[in-house]
Amino acid sequence: MKKDTSNQSRRQFLSKASLGFGSIALSSLINPFPSIGKSLVAPRNGGIVGQGHFPAKAKRVIYLFQSGGPSQIETFDYKPALKKWHGKEIPDSVRGTQRNSGMVANQSTFPLVQSIFDFKQYGQSGAWVSELMPYTSKIVDELCIIRSVYTDAINHEPAVMFVQTGSQQSGRPSIGSWMSYGLGSSNQNLPNFVVLVSKGGGAQPLSSSAWGNGFLPSHHQGVQFRSGKDPVLYLNNPYGIHQHDRRRALDYINEMNRIQQEISGDPEIDSKIQQYEMAFRMQSSVPDAVDLSNEPEYIYKLYGEDARKPGTYAANCLLARKLAEKNVNFIQLYHMGWDQHGNLPGGISRQAKDTDQATAALIMDLKQRGLLEDTLVVWGGEFGRTSFSQGRLTKGNYGRDHHPGCFSMWMAGAGVKPGIVYGQTDEFSYNVVQNPVHVHDFQATLLHLLGIDHERLTYKYQGRRFRLTDVHGEVVKGILS
């Protein structure tokens, strides 16, 4: 017999209907711009803006983050004027334009120092590149070198957070998480956002908040792949547990989660279900994804002998190419150790030796496979270094402090002009004098190349609509192809 609902109370009606209201509200929060022609139903790939706000130039990103702050004066920003100023005090009118870190607060003199390394022009672009980068110099016509990047932060942790999340404070979503939230996945068996950290590293710490999801649903967080027996922690079944047992247990857990989701309407439960299912699929997909044993000999010759050693920067670059082939959308490499406050010549030489060949190899490898056409590769750190010496200046040794006022990055591949140098700094490499690119501008441009309008990719949290670029950022149109 059909149940009579005519005598339901207002309280009963609202109680049963609340989940429906909640789902409507959730849809409006997730997609606050129905006028752009997108359905309130999430698209098949799981991204909130579907295929993007406009046609994308890049399908995926490989971000080679050089943590610690590589010196622009020793790499890509050639300053011959420093030769005549070498050992002389930096003019107060110049030094006063930028704040310095507390590490030079007690320093009584600030002598300018030229780079100990030679520079030459390479390629048809004639870009100046340091002798530290012999392999990168060979691919300079593939690069868009930006010498006029600047940031707001002066210490490592807030500076890394700023360039990776758009905020100096921890707790905001990273670039990869925003991309995952906006565009979804192109491979259902691997994470959207994979993180690779070089083993060893430098003195300064690297927080996992740099690849965190912040207030976005947790399945958008970066998944760190490690070298060794277990690439992803806690992924393998415990001893004695077979795959069919795991599947049965997962089905029961998911059913309980769905019941709880119907009761509470908590969208984070959906994230939990997605994470369980992804982990199950990754049990078979990850071992194949990280297996480099079948790479031919010429590939190891291209990337260098370090590519045979799991966890090195070279091995991670090779792994990044393989993940790109499998359509992982955002691949983030972190390589620490670029923080040379003292003994800069020796320290930066080691860093360049560890990274230069593999970086250039990645670009060449992607190009020969046709992947560079739709892959955006980014290289850079969190800030630059001062043109004056930190600590004692000797004939063969010096150091450089943190410097937010200008630093160099490069981009290559999908959507950017190859073989150009964009922006200019003053004769001391202390201030930007032409085409400044703020960190938020860089972030806006990266999203633009992915087909995302940075002002329209938002998430409502605690009553405010947040975005990667906060309330700032302009697309750098001068570097777009």
Side-chain angles (χ1 to χ4, degrees):
M1 179 182 294
K2 185 177 179 180
K3 184 178 180 180
D4 182 12
T5 59
S6 59
N7 293 323
Q8 282 187 352
S9 68
R10 178 174 178 272
R11 181 187 299 271
Q12 289 171 325
F13 170 77
L14 290 176
S15 174
K16 293 182 178 180
S18 62
L19 290 179
F21 292 155
S23 64
I24 294 172
L26 177 61
S27 295
S28 67
L29 292 179
I30 291 176
N31 188 357
F33 301 102
S35 61
I36 66 177
K38 301 295 181 185
S39 169
L40 288 177
V41 179
R44 284 177 297 174
N45 68 353
I48 207 61
V49 297
Q51 298 303 311
H53 295 123
F54 40 80
K57 296 291 184 69
K59 291 182 180 179
R60 68 193 69 84
V61 174
I62 300 176
Y63 194 158
L64 309 174
F65 192 79
Q66 312 301 315
S67 183
S71 169
Q72 73 281 7
I73 302 171
E74 269 70 34
T75 52
F76 298 106
D77 199 7
Y78 178 47
K79 292 301 171 187
L82 285 176
K83 183 175 182 180
K84 69 178 181 180
W85 282 92
H86 185 77
K88 298 179 181 178
E89 196 75 6
I90 183 173
D92 290 339
S93 60
V94 175
R95 190 168 72 87
T97 60
Q98 298 284 340
R99 62 186 177 129
N100 300 129
S101 79
M103 286 175 282
V104 295
N106 296 322
Q107 192 165 314
S108 58
T109 63
F110 298 87
L112 289 162
V113 53
Q114 66 172 329
S115 176
I116 201 171
F117 302 102
D118 291 333
F119 277 72
K120 291 182 181 179
Q121 289 179 286
Y122 294 91
Q124 294 185 2
S125 65
W128 290 93
V129 180
S130 164
E131 65 176 312
L132 286 171
M133 307 282 189
Y135 291 92
T136 301
S137 67
K138 295 177 183 178
I139 61 159
V140 74
D141 283 338
E142 300 292 341
L143 309 183
C144 172
I145 300 172
I146 308 172
R147 296 187 302 193
S148 54
V149 190
Y150 68 103
T151 184
D152 296 347
I154 199 167
N155 290 313
H156 292 292
E157 177 77 6
V160 171
M161 289 297 107
F162 193 56
V163 73
Q164 295 291 283
T165 73
S167 171
Q168 295 187 45
Q169 298 178 331
S170 298
R172 297 282 185 90
S174 62
I175 299 177
S177 294
W178 278 112
M179 182 182 175
S180 174
Y181 168 67
L183 297 180
S185 175
S186 299
N187 185 329
Q188 298 302 315
N189 296 318
L190 288 170
N192 261 356
F193 177 15
V194 171
V195 176
L196 305 169
V197 181
S198 301
K199 66 180 182 182
Q204 81 280 355
L206 181 64
S207 170
S208 61
S209 297
W211 55 89
N213 60 292
F215 43 69
L216 293 178
S218 56
H219 63 276
H220 296 300
Q221 178 175 335
V223 177
Q224 185 177 351
F225 282 17
R226 294 167 167 82
S227 60
K229 183 180 178 181
D230 296 317
V232 180
L233 295 181
Y234 314 116
L235 185 65
N236 293 331
N237 292 327
Y239 178 77
I241 301 297
H242 298 287
Q243 194 72 350
H244 67 273
D245 296 324
R246 173 65 72 186
R247 181 68 262 176
R248 289 180 60 200
L250 187 58
D251 289 341
Y252 283 121
I253 293 171
N254 285 347
E255 182 60 29
M256 289 188 287
N257 279 329
R258 290 189 182 98
I259 293 171
Q260 184 62 35
Q261 205 280 338
E262 289 177 3
I263 296 172
S264 66
D266 182 1
E268 188 58 30
I269 295 176
D270 286 332
S271 284
K272 185 181 294 185
I273 293 172
Q274 290 186 50
Q275 288 172 316
Y276 278 137
E277 290 295 338
M278 174 59 75
F280 182 79
R281 295 193 296 271
M282 285 167 59
Q283 286 186 330
S284 59
S285 63
V286 167
D288 175 64
V290 301
D291 182 12
L292 303 179
S293 62
N294 293 325
E295 293 293 330
E297 189 65 28
Y298 81 90
I299 286 293
Y300 286 110
K301 186 175 180 180
L302 180 66
Y303 282 84
E305 280 301 306
D306 275 355
R308 300 182 188 274
K309 305 172 185 176
T312 61
Y313 179 82
N316 286 344
C317 282
L318 178 52
L319 180 54
R321 186 269 291 163
K322 189 167 183 180
L323 292 172
E325 287 181 304
K326 293 182 177 295
N327 286 320
V328 173
N329 287 346
F330 201 97
I331 306 156
Q332 177 87 61
L333 275 68
Y334 289 95
H335 184 78
M336 296 177 285
W338 291 92
D339 190 27
Q340 283 89 37
H341 292 274
N343 191 26
L344 184 143
I348 201 168
S349 295
R350 289 189 294 272
Q351 290 298 106
K353 184 178 180 181
D354 288 343
T355 60
D356 176 47
Q357 181 176 357
T359 297
L362 176 61
I363 299 296
M364 292 187 285
D365 199 6
L366 291 171
K367 186 174 182 178
Q368 72 184 1
R369 295 168 190 270
L371 287 168
L372 194 59
E373 297 175 2
D374 55 12
T375 302
L376 178 67
V377 183
V378 179
W379 184 100
E382 66 267 37
F383 43 51
R385 314 301 295 198
T386 56
S387 47
F388 62 78
S389 179
Q390 179 179 357
R392 186 183 177 194
L393 171 61
T394 66
K395 184 177 180 180
N397 203 3
Y398 55 92
R400 299 192 191 274
D401 192 20
H402 308 162
H403 185 63
C406 60
F407 61 105
S408 297
M409 298 179 68
W410 59 252
M411 305 170 81
V416 295
K417 294 178 181 176
I420 71 165
V421 176
Y422 185 85
Q424 185 176 332
T425 59
D426 61 21
E427 62 179 339
F428 305 109
S429 191
Y430 209 76
N431 291 289
V432 174
V433 296
Q434 186 181 72
N435 295 327
V437 177
H438 187 266
V439 162
H440 286 316
D441 300 332
F442 155 70
Q443 294 162 342
T445 305
L446 188 150
L447 291 180
H448 176 86
L449 290 167
L450 293 164
I452 297 174
D453 182 340
H454 72 104
E455 294 184 348
R456 295 163 66 187
L457 181 63
T458 64
Y459 190 88
K460 191 171 183 180
Y461 175 68
Q462 294 186 343
R464 177 192 163 188
R465 296 198 187 282
F466 286 87
R467 69 188 206 213
L468 172 62
T469 53
D470 196 39
V471 295
H472 310 285
E474 298 287 341
V475 175
V476 186
K477 296 180 179 179
I479 70 171
L480 303 181
S481 61

